[in-house]
Amino acid sequence: MVRLPHIKSGHPFLRRAIVLFLFIILAGAGCAVNGRGSSDDRSGSTAVDLVILHTNDTHGHPLKFYKYPAPDVGGLAARASLVAKIRKESKRVLLLDAGDINTGRAESNLFDAEPDIRGFNYIGYDAMAIGNHEFDHSLDILAKQMQQAQFPFLSANIRRSDGTLLARPYLIKELDGVKVAIIGLTTVETRTSANPANTKGLVFDDEVETARRIVPQLRDKVDIVIALTHLGIYPSNDRGSRRLAAQVAGIDVIVDGHSHTKLDAPIVIRRPGDDRDTIIVQAWMWGLVLGRLDLSIQGGRVIDYRFASLPVNLKRIEKDATGHTALHYKGKRIEEDKKLLALLEPYAHKAAATLSEVVGISTKRLSFREVRSAETALGDLVADALLWHAQPLKAECALVNGGCIRYDISAGTITKQDIYNVLPFDVTVVLVALKGTELKSLFDHIATISPGEGGFPQVAGMSFTIDHGAGVCRDIMIGGAPLDSERTYRLVTNSFLASGGDGYASLKEAGNAYDTSLFMRDVVIRYIQFNPEVLTQDKEKRITILGGVSFAEFHHAA
């Protein structure tokens, strides 16, 4: 508070002059120009708060589910209650999703993610980035999903062959006087990680080049620029959202997805010579947590922030004084929104009626955790199933991508739905004839795959060593004999890889693929039904790895 100087009552003119002078000074201070050059911005002179709630890679998990070791975690009904509570407490709240709403559990897969989108509508999402798994279905289904959504699907770097954008590039929202720009970006790796049949005719522009073109245009119009991206968090600044933050000025926050990264704190990137930081956040996967980033904004800048990864009914095992174990909630238990639950449960009932048939009994859990970095018993089982199915076609070896395996097989009774959870993609079994030289090119590609990438192989009928230090695969054995460059081999795989997915160009270039039209998961179901003992098998020494970064080291770095 400013105090007027004491003026004797005998000098009224002087007193009025001083009052007028101080009024001019205070009025001028109140109209100070903020970082955007605006004189009437409500965030220019006083710090205001903005809450960004975010999810990513929810992958078809509309209802609560079992995640080892706990039942009833996640789900849109609990998420709805948590979001509603935060909205009651905060004036300015954005709710964003960084992509990959598709491909997960049966109650979503059987209905092309309709329950997920209806749930997002109910909760009131503001925007969603287009992820690579939005191309697990045809473009017609993607268009239907975009029409069902009461929020925009964003991507500024996907064009049709005629140059028009596939989706809305960005969104500008005003929340109680604070203007926010949200630009969507999709990883260019979608060129190889998505089914090529579903991306035919699309052009994926470089994310950095696209952002450099658009962000300056948005910067002059808003207080805060958010990049809603499906790029991934990786150890270095030459890939994914770190690359975007390091090479593009003017982005305040990157809400990211794709790599399923579990963060305890944001990643903060500062470019040399730039006084504006970029904050990167991500919220793990499957709706297990709700990311919350609280920003304090003044003069078109973030002056402070807080981050939390809010568990959605996650539980942990704890021992009591007697040594007995029990499950306890991480944080507080969240009540499910009953209205949303009533909307979603019919999808589960319909799916359950189809997929409740028992296919076998497993005496142990087969984990999918390392399918992107090492040979696993579960990966061996899936590859063995394809080779078993293709024996009448004289297949000699099998290869699947670890990224197609998305769930554990738990100990106990195994149903069709369990296998659908493990193998959620609508990919078919394909036989490809390859010359020895073409098969050698395939192994050359395998040697370039980093731990954590979906293209990491799970195989049957072959063995080899990946030597990361030398950048080659060696000791390659097919059917117990060394790879012969003069021979032609018959390899069974899935339609995604046969189309060149995950960079397996040699499979597409072979040009003589036979598609059996049978879904891979249905082949695995039949394999288990005819060979129940496979649910007890251990992994074999099919893949040896020398050098490189381990899966654990990769995720620690991320």
Side-chain angles (χ1 to χ4, degrees):
M1 182 176 72
V2 179
R3 293 184 180 273
L4 293 175
H6 178 68
I7 303 295
K8 293 182 178 180
S9 59
H11 299 80
F13 176 79
L14 180 58
R15 180 178 177 86
R16 285 195 299 271
I18 292 175
V19 170
L20 179 60
F21 175 73
L22 289 174
F23 176 81
I24 293 171
I25 292 175
L26 293 174
C31 292
V33 176
N34 67 14
R36 294 192 296 115
S38 169
S39 62
D40 60 354
D41 173 31
R42 293 177 61 180
S43 69
S45 58
T46 305
V48 295
D49 294 330
L50 172 66
V51 179
I52 301 172
L53 303 179
H54 59 98
T55 52
N56 55 272
D57 300 280
T58 54
H59 282 301
H61 286 72
L63 291 158
K64 61 188 178 185
F65 57 96
Y66 177 88
K67 184 183 184 300
Y68 181 83
D72 299 337
V73 303
L76 286 170
R79 194 190 312 170
S81 297
L82 181 55
V83 170
K85 179 177 181 294
I86 294 170
R87 282 183 172 142
K88 288 180 181 178
E89 300 168 347
S90 303
K91 185 185 298 185
R92 304 175 189 87
V93 178
L94 271 177
L95 179 57
L96 306 173
D97 186 86
D100 276 7
I101 199 172
N102 284 297
T103 310
R105 296 176 61 82
E107 61 264 27
S108 175
N109 292 351
L110 294 176
F111 307 100
D112 297 333
E114 180 180 301
D116 309 77
I117 293 172
R118 293 185 72 183
F120 275 38
N121 288 342
Y122 180 92
I123 297 172
Y125 270 78
D126 292 293
M128 185 186 105
I130 291 181
N132 58 298
H133 283 283
E134 271 57 83
F135 300 97
D136 288 344
H137 308 293
S138 68
L139 291 181
D140 288 341
I141 291 178
L142 175 57
K144 182 184 73 173
Q145 291 175 332
M146 293 170 72
Q147 187 175 21
Q148 290 172 337
Q150 295 170 7
F151 52 89
F153 283 38
L154 300 180
S155 185
N157 66 316
I158 307 176
R159 294 182 290 113
R160 301 180 184 87
S161 55
D162 63 3
T164 59
L165 288 173
L166 178 68
R168 188 170 174 175
Y170 59 82
L171 171 70
I172 294 178
K173 287 186 72 78
E174 183 168 349
L175 294 93
D176 194 43
V178 177
K179 285 189 176 181
V180 182
I182 306 160
I183 177 175
L185 294 167
T186 305
T187 175
V188 296
E189 295 173 5
T190 305
R191 297 166 182 162
T192 56
S193 65
N195 189 329
N198 296 334
T199 58
K200 186 178 181 180
L202 296 180
V203 177
F204 293 82
D205 292 326
D206 182 80
E207 312 99 330
V208 166
E209 293 176 4
T210 301
R212 282 176 174 168
R213 175 171 50 83
I214 296 177
V215 168
Q217 302 171 22
L218 300 176
R219 187 76 262 174
D220 292 336
K221 300 176 182 177
V222 299
D223 299 289
I224 296 296
V225 174
I226 299 171
L228 183 58
T229 67
H230 197 81
L231 304 180
I233 295 174
Y234 302 97
S236 70
N237 285 1
D238 59 2
R239 185 182 177 195
S241 56
R242 285 182 184 265
R243 173 176 175 255
L244 181 69
Q247 297 188 24
V248 180
I251 300 174
D252 297 290
V253 176
I254 297 176
V255 175
D256 193 28
H258 189 50
S259 56
H260 299 193
T261 304
K262 186 179 181 181
L263 292 179
D264 296 318
I267 296 167
V268 180
I269 303 291
R270 173 166 288 191
R271 294 158 297 280
D274 191 350
D275 63 352
R276 186 188 294 271
D277 293 338
T278 298
I279 303 167
I280 304 174
V281 294
Q282 197 175 135
W284 200 10
M285 63 180 182
W286 300 353
L288 293 168
V289 298
L290 177 68
R292 174 172 179 164
L293 180 65
D294 287 68
L295 302 179
S296 183
I297 303 164
Q298 187 173 21
R301 288 180 176 275
V302 175
I303 61 172
D304 197 9
Y305 64 86
R306 297 183 307 278
F307 175 77
S309 185
L310 307 176
V312 183
N313 287 339
L314 295 185
K315 306 172 186 72
R316 61 176 175 269
I317 296 178
E318 294 181 356
K319 286 187 178 181
D320 60 23
T322 65
H324 292 91
T325 59
L327 289 172
H328 295 275
Y329 282 94
K330 295 181 178 180
K332 294 181 179 179
R333 179 177 178 271
I334 303 168
E335 293 286 346
E336 294 185 296
D337 183 294
K338 291 182 174 56
K339 186 175 179 181
L340 180 54
L341 199 59
L343 182 71
L344 299 177
E345 283 183 331
Y347 293 97
H349 297 326
K350 293 175 185 177
T354 303
L355 302 176
S356 59
E357 181 183 346
V358 174
V359 298
I361 298 175
S362 179
T363 58
K364 60 183 179 181
R365 183 169 69 98
L366 301 179
S367 173
F368 85 108
R369 174 170 169 75
E370 294 187 347
V371 293
R372 294 170 179 250
S373 63
E375 178 191 350
T376 66
L378 182 55
D380 286 355
L381 186 154
V382 173
D384 286 344
L386 268 63
L387 188 56
W388 170 83
H389 170 75
Q391 282 177 344
L393 302 175
K394 299 182 179 180
E396 301 166 85
C397 53
L399 179 146
V400 298
N401 51 315
C404 75
I405 301 171
R406 312 293 284 200
Y407 222 75
D408 297 343
I409 288 181
S410 300
T413 300
I414 307 303
T415 65
K416 285 185 176 181
Q417 179 159 348
D418 293 321
I419 304 304
Y420 270 60
N421 293 340
V422 172
L423 300 169
F425 301 107
D426 290 337
V427 292
T428 54
V429 176
V430 176
L431 187 74
V432 182
L434 293 167
K435 296 177 182 177
T437 52
E438 293 172 325
L439 192 54
K440 180 61 171 62
S441 295
L442 181 148
F443 283 104
D444 290 341
H445 170 64
I446 288 173
T448 69
I449 298 173
S450 300
E453 293 186 356
F456 188 90
Q458 300 291 324
V459 301
M462 64 173 79
S463 63
F464 54 93
T465 297
I466 303 174
D467 188 337
H468 285 296
V472 297
C473 285
R474 54 182 177 81
D475 306 326
I476 303 169
M477 305 288 285
I478 309 294
L483 175 64
D484 183 350
S485 59
E486 301 301 318
R487 272 199 57 192
T488 296
Y489 293 89
R490 297 169 73 82
L491 178 143
V492 61
T493 185
N494 60 47
S495 55
F496 171 67
L497 295 188
S499 300
D502 275 337
Y504 283 88
S506 57
L507 294 178
K508 181 180 180 180
E509 292 166 359
N512 52 7
Y514 167 65
D515 193 329
T516 68
S517 297
L518 286 174
F519 284 126
M520 185 169 70
R521 55 181 170 242
D522 293 327
V523 167
V524 172
I525 288 170
R526 290 187 62 196
Y527 177 60
I528 294 171
Q529 288 172 326
F530 279 89
N531 305 276
E533 71 280 359
V534 299
L535 289 171
T536 65
Q537 71 182 24
D538 295 319
K539 69 178 179 181
E540 299 179 5
K541 294 182 178 179
R542 302 176 184 180
I543 303 175
T544 302
I545 301 175
L546 301 177
V549 179
S550 72
F551 182 74
E553 291 171 328
F554 171 85
H555 275 270
H556 178 73

